[in-house]
Amino acid sequence: MPIRQDDNRPTRRFGLINLLLIGLGVLLLFSNFLPNNSMQQVPRVPYSLFIDQVNDDTVSRAYITQDQIRYELKEPPAEGAPTVLATTPIFDMDLPQRLEQHGVEFAAAPPQKPNFFTTLLSWVVPPLIFILVLQFFARRSGMGGGAQGALSFTKSKARVYVPDEESRVTFADVAGVDEAKTELTEIVDFLKKPERYAAIGARIPKGVLLVGPPGTGKTLLSKAVAGEAGVPFFIISGSEFVELFVGAGAARVRDLFEEAKKKAPCIIFIDELDAIGKSRSGSMGVVGGNDEREQTLNQLLTEMDGFSAQDKPVIVLAATNQPETLDAALLRPGRFDRQVLVDRPDLSGRRTILEIYAKKVKLAEGVDLDRIAQATAGFAGADLANLVNEAALLAARGYRTAVEQGDLNEAIERVVAGLEKKSRVLQPDEKKVVAYHEVGHAIVGHLMPGGSKVAKISIVPRGMSALGYTLQLPTEERFLNSKEDLEGQITTLLGGRSAEEVVFGEVTTGAANDLQRATDIAEQMVGTFGMSETLGPLAYDKQGGSRFLGGPSNPRRVVSDSTAQAIDKEVRGLVDRAHDRALSILHHNRELLETISQKILDKEVIEGDELKQLLASSTLPQEAALVA
Ligand code: ADP
Ligand code: MG
Ligand code: ZN
């Protein structure tokens, strides 16, 4: 889509100032040379010669200035020799007396009058520098939008898209979010035929909030709404409102709505609404920047309440991944009263998204996108787009003419575990620890319930932190997990550390992330899912939490001290029992742990049928069984 900038860039003004400066520089040079020019070239002689000539009474007159003495001889010392000579003065208090004694007519230059140009410069240059500095800052503050003129801090920085035929985004470009699409189709209808709704007296919604994790297509969807309706689309990010200059955010909001009203019907899209819309009560105690944000927020609320032209609707779409932090005032009727959930796609959604992006690359015959879709549970749309691109890069690097299944498979791993870090080298003893750790995960994971199978073990370091990894692929799409599934997951997570204990009798720092995740799951089981028998089906964690960030560090409801202790004890119990289970499984399969670990130390990666056969000989000890 073409981006149109509504403001003229400051380049023209800047050029003018440059010209002025150059002109002044030239003048400065001239002003230095001018006085010298008036003096013609005269032969220079040593000062001592001058004094001699004065003493010999051959000098008729002298003209003395700060840096030169010019004098004329009564008669040329030789035929054709010059009579006018010059010398450089030295500090000589007796000179006037001497000249007088020898009857020389002498005069000194008048004191230097301040030169016109110097005066001009001293008046003009400092303000000029001042203006330049100011302009520099103005431009800096205008970065990103780029549409800032000098000293105009308030212009809205929204970029405007006007959808044209070739480049417009439509609903066909977005997949896997069908419910959101259905809801937004209605908005498209409002924008296309506002009269119809106005005739019945229906109130057109002003604000729609798109809620969902990053990369699920919120921005894309709102562009598609504009594209489908064929209306202009103003896009601005919440953080762009809140800036260096106090009051600028509010002014920007005002400007934005002003511009939008001129182009109505149209869409305003505010990305990262949470940057301005954070709950005011929730942010108490945070120092700095609050007033500014609050002003901006208030202005936004005022503007949203203000416009109500039924036949020329301006609809505000906003996106956030932290709806729970938003100020309640934003969610009231007449503001963002509609919320559309844009969640990560399910199996068939992933399949369609993969198709969209697979069309943009050359795909080899017989590539099975279904299998890729199955292996990418939890990927958002942006991850899938990235995945296809990564596969295409791999294919190109390998001089293949089309993207093959293997490229896609490897791309999954890259996206999951970060890019392969060839440069990182593990010490042999470290490698051994990583091997047993990962095989521990694999054996325990294989024996625990939970609808996924261990597909690969690798001790090739990847990305920033993963030294090795065990890839578990879900065998079916799951929305619900039983208590046993979750306990199985915790046990699997503890499998790595338990293997280190079983083999080396001590633990390393490598299990930190595992423990974090295990504890999180246990906490959620007790606090969110009501899976604890002693504590009952109560939700001790407040709803919402940071659902989309995956962090379960929800603030707890107000509970009594004894309940809090009981919760901690339950969580602890869950993790402890899982730890015991993992230990007993690994003791029971000690030989297998050894076999697979040795193998992986050789090969670095074990996967597919080989892994399946190896794991098939593992057995579950009685005491580690989870009653299903
Ligand atoms: P969000 O705004 O939710 O963080 P974006 O809309 O910016 O996500 O998505 C980033 C990119 O990922 C999009 O430009 C698009 O290429 C791809 N993408 C994300 N979700 C989808 C989807 N549901 N269908 C197709 N492409 C998607
Ligand atoms: Mg976005
Ligand atoms: Zn681990």
Side-chain angles (χ1 to χ4, degrees), residues 16 34 174 259 347 355 412-413 444 465 491-492 547 605-606:
L16 201 77
L34 276 177
V174 196
E259 275 174 61
L347 181 61
E355 266 165 29
I412 295 180
E413 283 165 34
V444 176
S465 59
T491 313
T492 307
R547 213 173 118 212
V605 178
I606 304 183

Side-chain angles (χ1 to χ4, degrees), residues 425-446:
V425 185
L426 283 180
Q427 299 303 315
D429 55 332
E430 285 177 328
K431 209 167 166 184
K432 218 167 130 192
V433 175
V434 173
Y436 283 101
H437 178 109
E438 295 304 333
V439 175
H441 280 310
I443 294 179
V444 176
H446 178 74

Side-chain angles (χ1 to χ4, degrees), residues 172-177 212-223 269 271 319 321 342-343 345 349 352-353 356-357 360 380-386:
D173 298 312
V174 196
V177 281
T216 44
K218 298 182 292 297
T219 310
L220 194 66
L221 262 173
S222 40
K223 278 185 193 167
F269 177 63
D271 215 346
N321 48 24
V342 188
D343 215 342
T352 359
I353 296 176
I356 291 180
Y357 290 100
K360 299 182 181 173
D383 301 327
L384 293 169
N386 184 14

Side-chain angles (χ1 to χ4, degrees), residues 183-338:
E183 296 220 26
L184 290 171
T185 312
E186 212 175 301
I187 305 293
V188 172
D189 217 38
F190 289 143
L191 286 165
K192 270 184 170 164
K193 305 190 187 77
E195 334 61 67
R196 215 176 68 203
Y197 292 84
I200 305 188
R203 194 175 55 82
I204 291 178
K206 288 178 184 165
V208 180
L209 188 61
L210 302 173
V211 178
T216 44
K218 298 182 292 297
T219 310
L220 194 66
L221 262 173
S222 40
K223 278 185 193 167
V225 171
E228 291 280 339
V231 299
F233 178 74
F234 291 80
I235 179 167
I236 189 162
S237 161
S239 55
E240 286 172 306
F241 279 129
V242 188
E243 277 215 356
L244 197 58
F245 299 100
V246 176
R252 272 192 190 136
V253 172
R254 214 163 28 238
D255 281 351
L256 174 61
F257 278 81
E258 208 105 288
E259 275 174 61
K261 270 181 239 170
K262 281 184 219 149
K263 294 215 165 65
C266 68
I267 290 176
I268 295 177
F269 177 63
I270 305 176
D271 215 346
E272 304 168 45
L273 182 66
D274 36 281
I276 41 171
K278 277 225 183 72
S279 160
R280 283 174 273 201
S281 59
S283 55
M284 289 254 280
V286 181
V287 191
N290 256 343
D291 279 356
E292 169 65 356
R293 211 184 53 216
E294 202 162 303
Q295 275 187 27
T296 310
L297 176 58
N298 282 336
Q299 188 65 40
L300 181 66
L301 295 176
T302 315
E303 292 290 346
M304 287 190 75
D305 289 343
F307 65 81
S308 60
Q310 284 288 333
D311 49 336
K312 284 201 171 289
V314 176
I315 293 186
V316 185
L317 297 181
T320 179
N321 48 24
Q322 301 167 279
E324 64 283 346
T325 66
L326 289 184
D327 198 297
L330 271 171
L331 307 176
R332 281 220 299 274
R335 293 160 183 176
F336 292 103
D337 46 358
R338 293 207 174 194

